[in-house]
């Protein structure tokens, strides 16, 4: 056992839901998913809504997750007066942090907790910019997650892939040189990345091509349902309170995840609070009737975009042996059916693991445990963008713009300003430490692991 107890907490902070898990480094194979989220009566599971509601009179008082009072919900999401988005995120993460620490203190001996070093590992969509990742890390520190060690930030599909390749028996048949495409389908974003396996133990993989992604998660299906809901309700829609409109959309969640597009079920229902029978628009005993064809129409615009992302990634990666479908949206039956239909024609297997929605947070814990350990997964990444520095260089007529020309009185030279020196090109492998310095463009040290 380690002399100082070390706990790693993974946080999958998503657009619609957040998940948390933890493990003791002395028993790293036992990852516990936090499920005891505070609730005002809702059924809770492995995820908590990424929602926060502030008291109108005191902005330091707020409710969050399942515990938000119904009257706190509004049609329009507005930032509270005096707060910016980073501060709101920090407030939400502070609530997550406090609940996690309460949970840990219930699970772990008091003496051990007093000695323990707790490290947080957060995941973000792979398509986020470096600036967005940095802001998330800063918000986590402000929320209390950096009291002992700096919180780590990892990409969601990478964490999902690590969990799958290390822990899932279903894909242990994969061998060196096999390629696995990870489709991380969440509420807001879908991230796609393909890895080539170099070694299974210790795990060593390389990105086959630059990862891609888009804002085409399950919330876009919710928006299509809201349009259908408004269209079908007509003048009855205005009679519903904002709370009941929002609750109706939330009730669509269960129908959405269960939709299979099978001929044995031609009709689906969504409960509408406070609505009775309006048979002429297809509402019976407060349940909105939706046909199988209408359900396809709600799903297909979004799922077509997901399939297009997968198709483009497979072409860029040359070939793929297995598609791994993870994330909250990754548990959708219809999404699995559509991807399977496409993949079967391309002779690619598709795996939808059990509890796909927690694959990412489990992977975050594994990454966090590896960060300070001796056994690390080796991942060769590819640059998703160009990196360079602005500099000045000798002016060349015809090469540089006339407005960039200037005379440097120190060097007695005619130079061109506003030039860029590229050090990393998009799609380059990132397996090195880059060092550069110079009088004209300063110095920097950029590390890639």
């Amino acid at each position: 056992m380690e002399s100082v107890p070390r706990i790693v907490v993974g946080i999958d902070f998503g657009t619609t839901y957040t998940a948390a898990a933890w493990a003791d480094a002395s028993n790293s194979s036992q990852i516990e998913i936090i499920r005891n989220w505070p609730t005002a009566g809702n059924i809770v599971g492995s995820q908590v809504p990424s929602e926060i509601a502030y008291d109108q009179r005191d902005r330091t008082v707020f409710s969050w997750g399942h515990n938000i009072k119904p009257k706190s919900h509004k049609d329009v999401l507005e930032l509270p007066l005096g707060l910016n988005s980073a501060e709101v995120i920090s407030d939400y993460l502070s609530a997550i942090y406090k609940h996690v620490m309460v949970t840990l203190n219930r699970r772990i001996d008091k003496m051990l907790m007093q000695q323990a070093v707790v490290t947080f590992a957060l995941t973000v969509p792979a398509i986020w910019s470096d600036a967005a990742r940095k802001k998330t890390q800063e918000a986590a520190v402000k929320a209390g997650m950096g009291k002992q060690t700096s919180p780590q930030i990892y990409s969601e599909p990478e964490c999902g892939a690590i969990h799958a390749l290390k822990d899932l028996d279903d894909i242990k048949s994969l061998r060196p040189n096999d390629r696995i495409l990870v489709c991380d389908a969440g509420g807001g974003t879908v991230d796609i990345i393909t890895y080539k396996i170099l070694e299974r133990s210790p795990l060593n993989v390389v990105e086959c091509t630059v990862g891609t992604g888009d804002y085409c998660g399950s919330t876009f299906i919710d928006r299509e349902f809201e349009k259908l809901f408004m269209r079908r309700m007509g003048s009855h829609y205005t009679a519903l309170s904002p709370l009941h409109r929002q609750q109706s959309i939330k009730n669509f969640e269960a129908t959405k995840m269960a939709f299979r597009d099978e001929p044995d079920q031609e009709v689906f229902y969504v409960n509408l609070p406070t609505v009775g029978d309006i048979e002429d628009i297809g509402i019976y005993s407060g349940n909105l009737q939706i046909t199988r064809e209408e359900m396809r129409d709600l799903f297909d615009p979004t799922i077509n975009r997901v399939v297009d992302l997968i198709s483009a990634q497979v072409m860029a990666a040359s070939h793929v042996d297995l598609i791994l479908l993870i994330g909250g949206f990754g548990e959708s039956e219809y999404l699995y059916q559509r991807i399977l239909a496409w993949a079967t024609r391309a002779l690619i297997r598709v795996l939808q693991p059990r509890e796909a929605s927690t694959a990412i947070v489990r992977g975050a814990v594994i990454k966090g445990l590896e960060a300070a350990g001796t056994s690390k997964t080796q991942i060769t990444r590819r640059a998703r963008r160009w990196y360079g520095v602005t500099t000045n260089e000798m002016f060349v007529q015809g090469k540089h713009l006339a407005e960039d020309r200037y005379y440097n009185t120190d060097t007695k030279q005619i130079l061109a300003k506003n030039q860029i020196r590229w050090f990393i090109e998009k799609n380059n492998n990132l397996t090195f430490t880059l060092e550069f310095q110079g009088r004209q463009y300063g110095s920097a040290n950029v590390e890639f692991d």
Side-chain angles (χ1 to χ4, degrees):
M1 182 176 290
E2 297 184 353
S3 57
V4 177
R6 192 162 60 87
I7 309 297
V8 173
V9 178
I11 305 291
D12 177 15
F13 176 40
T15 306
T16 52
Y17 288 95
T18 293
W22 66 277
D24 185 334
S26 65
N27 189 17
S28 58
S29 63
Q30 297 298 314
I31 298 176
E32 180 176 328
I33 304 295
I34 293 178
R35 302 178 188 274
N36 61 326
W37 297 109
T39 176
N42 297 313
I43 297 175
V44 300
S46 61
Q47 297 177 310
V48 62
S50 300
E51 299 177 5
I52 186 170
Y54 289 86
D55 185 280
Q56 295 297 314
R57 297 177 298 276
D58 185 353
R59 298 307 185 197
T60 64
V61 177
F62 57 82
S63 53
W64 62 282
H66 294 290
N67 227 12
I68 294 179
K69 298 176 181 178
K71 66 180 181 180
S72 299
H73 288 92
K74 290 186 175 182
D75 264 351
V76 180
L77 297 178
E78 299 174 346
L79 285 174
L81 187 64
L83 294 179
N84 58 39
S85 58
E87 291 169 326
V88 172
I89 290 172
S90 181
D91 283 343
Y92 178 81
L93 290 178
S94 72
I96 295 290
Y97 168 75
K98 291 172 185 176
H99 180 71
V100 166
M101 295 307 294
V102 167
T103 301
L104 292 180
N105 278 285
R106 289 179 180 176
R107 300 283 193 274
I108 301 172
D109 179 77
K110 182 178 180 181
M111 287 284 289
L112 289 177
M113 274 302 295
Q114 289 176 344
Q115 302 170 13
V117 174
V118 181
T119 300
F120 285 81
L122 287 83
T123 66
V124 296
I127 61 175
W128 277 18
S129 66
D130 296 333
R133 292 165 65 99
K134 183 65 175 176
K135 287 182 179 180
T136 302
Q137 187 177 44
E138 291 171 350
V141 169
K142 187 177 179 182
M145 296 181 185
K147 290 182 178 179
Q148 294 176 297
T149 62
S150 178
Q152 302 301 305
I153 304 294
Y154 301 117
S155 88
E156 292 173 357
E158 184 174 296
C159 288
I162 288 175
H163 161 64
L165 289 168
K166 280 180 169 285
D167 290 351
L168 292 182
D169 293 332
D170 299 327
I171 63 172
K172 287 187 177 177
S173 61
L174 290 176
R175 295 290 180 263
N177 295 320
D178 286 345
R179 300 188 177 201
I180 176 174
L181 182 151
V182 180
C183 176
D184 168 25
T189 61
V190 172
D191 285 313
I192 311 285
I193 187 68
T194 303
Y195 297 99
K196 179 181 178 181
I197 300 173
L198 301 182
E199 291 182 83
R200 285 303 305 249
S201 183
L203 185 60
N204 185 354
V205 299
V206 58
E207 291 184 358
C208 298
T209 186
V210 175
T212 58
D214 200 358
Y215 293 92
C216 52
S218 63
T219 55
F220 292 88
I221 299 173
D222 297 341
R223 294 179 187 180
E224 293 301 313
F225 168 72
E226 187 173 11
K227 294 176 186 176
L228 171 69
F229 181 36
M230 293 175 63
R231 189 166 62 248
R232 289 274 293 278
M233 290 290 289
S235 60
H236 300 286
Y237 183 79
T238 56
L240 287 175
S241 68
L243 170 62
H244 290 137
R245 294 174 194 168
Q246 188 177 66
Q247 188 59 53
S248 298
I249 296 170
K250 282 183 175 291
N251 291 345
F252 173 67
E253 179 72 18
T255 307
K256 175 178 68 177
M257 297 307 292
F259 176 56
R260 297 176 293 113
D261 192 29
E262 298 287 353
D264 62 346
Q265 189 167 6
E266 293 289 342
V267 178
F268 300 83
Y269 295 94
V270 177
N271 181 257
L272 308 180
T274 74
V275 178
D277 287 328
I278 314 178
E279 296 186 5
D280 59 316
I281 58 175
I283 299 177
Y284 306 92
S285 300
N287 292 292
L288 176 66
Q289 179 177 288
I290 307 176
T291 67
R292 177 183 165 201
E293 183 179 357
E294 286 175 322
M295 287 293 288
R296 281 199 301 266
D297 290 341
L298 298 180
F299 274 80
D300 284 346
T302 297
I303 290 186
N304 287 343
R305 292 167 66 187
V306 177
V307 172
D308 286 345
L309 285 173
I310 292 174
S311 176
Q313 179 75 185
V314 170
M315 289 185 63
S318 297
H319 82 270
V320 167
D321 299 287
L322 174 73
I323 295 174
L324 180 68
L325 185 57
I326 59 174
F329 187 25
E331 295 186 334
S332 163
E333 289 289 331
Y334 186 50
L335 177 61
Y336 171 76
Q337 287 178 332
R338 285 288 310 276
I339 292 176
L340 179 63
W342 179 90
T344 300
R345 294 191 296 271
L347 303 179
I348 301 172
R349 291 181 292 150
V350 181
L351 178 65
Q352 186 184 47
R354 296 181 300 276
E355 295 197 50
S357 61
T358 63
I360 295 163
V361 75
R362 291 176 190 272
V365 174
I366 294 172
K367 287 279 290 182
L369 289 168
E370 289 182 342
T374 55
S375 175
K376 291 189 178 181
T377 298
Q378 179 64 42
I379 299 178
T380 303
R381 303 179 183 89
R382 291 181 181 268
R384 288 177 173 250
R385 52 188 63 86
W386 292 71
Y387 291 87
V389 293
T390 56
T391 184
N392 304 322
E393 58 185 49
M394 295 295 296
F395 182 83
V396 177
Q397 188 72 36
K399 176 183 177 182
H400 300 114
L401 297 175
E403 55 262 36
D404 290 334
R405 182 183 179 205
Y406 81 102
Y407 180 73
N408 188 309
T409 56
D410 293 329
T411 64
K412 312 300 183 185
Q413 294 174 315
I414 298 176
L415 303 177
K417 60 184 178 180
N418 299 325
Q419 306 307 301
I420 298 179
R421 180 178 177 184
W422 297 110
F423 292 95
I424 303 171
E425 296 182 11
K426 184 176 180 179
N427 207 30
N428 274 359
N429 284 340
L430 303 179
T431 55
F432 54 87
T433 297
L434 175 66
E435 297 184 39
F436 53 89
Q437 60 181 4
R439 182 158 54 90
Q440 292 179 329
Y441 42 82
S443 63
N445 186 319
V446 185
E447 295 186 1
F448 301 95
D449 53 7

